[in-house]
Amino acid sequence: MPFLDILTALWFSVNSVKGKSALQLSRELGVQYKTAWVILMKMREAISSRRLDMMLEGEIHIDGKYAGGHIKPENRKADRVDRRRAENQNNKRLTILTMREKSPFGRGREQTLTRVIRSEDSNEAWEMVRKHVRRGSRLHADEHFSYDDLEGLQELHRVNHSEEYQAKGGVNTNHVESFFSRIQRAYVGIHHRFSVRYFDWYAAEMAWREDNRRVDNGMQLWGMIYKGLSRPTSRNLCGYWQGNHPPDLVWKGGESPDA
C-alpha cells in the first residue's frame, strides 16, 4: 500500500471515538476488507505493547467485565437452559481484567491497563497488581473473592455492590466501570462481536483511547504512528492470510502472550 493510504487509515481510526470497523475502513479507502483488517490489527498490536512497562500508582480501581460468548436461547421454553452456568457456556465468554489509575479531580495523567483472561481469578489479579502497581498505592475493588489475596500486596479497600455502589469513605470502582461502558458501546455499536483470538488487542485499543480522550486528534495520530514505527515486523500478522495465525491472546498464569 502507498504510505499515504496507511496514514489515511490511521487518521480515520483516530477520528473514530469508539473504534473503527474494518468493513467501514475498506469502503472509505477503497481497498479490500482483508487489507483494512490487517492495517487495523497491526495498529492494535502496536498499541497493546505499551502495557509491558506500564506502572500505575495512587488510587487504582480494579475490576473485571465479562463480554462475548452470546448463546442464542432455544425457541421452546422447555428446551432452554441457564446460560449463566459454566457447563452451558461456549468457551467464547471472556473477562477483561482492568486496572485504572484515577487522577485527582479527573485531571492529569490517567492510565488504563487491561488483560483478557478466561474468568476472574485470584492468580491473574495478584500477578497483575504485583507487576504493574507501585508500592504505596491504594486499590479499590468489589466483593469478588478473586481480589482477597491483594490485601498483602497493597492497601486494599472494598465495596460490596450487592449492597451499595459506594462504601463509607468514598470507596467505589466507578472509574473502571466508566471504562467498561466504552467497551460495551464499542461492542454493540461498532464491532458487534470480538474475536476470541484478538479480544485482548481490542481491549488494549479501547484503553488507549480512554487514556487519550483529552488529547487532540493530531497528537493521537502522532502517538499511533510512533507506536507503529517503533515495533518490529509483526510475527502474529505477517502472512496471516497465508495461514500464519497466532495463538489465542488470553492471559494465563500471569504470563502475557505478547510479552
Side-chain angles (χ1 to χ4, degrees), residues 9-10 23 26 29 35 45 51 54 87 94 111 121 125 132 134 136 159 169 179 213 216 236 246 249 255 257:
L10 296 180
L23 184 59
S26 68
L29 293 180
T35 303
E45 181 189 27
R51 301 175 296 180
M54 188 181 291
E87 58 267 24
L94 299 173
Q111 294 188 103
D121 183 87
H132 298 284
R134 297 189 190 279
V159 54
F179 168 67
R213 66 190 185 279
D216 63 80
N236 292 313
L249 301 172
E255 293 298 330

Side-chain angles (χ1 to χ4, degrees), residues 16 68 87 91 100 148 176 182 216 247 256:
S16 301
E87 58 267 24
N91 204 35
R100 192 170 181 209
D148 293 345
V176 71
R182 178 185 286 267
D216 63 80
S256 168

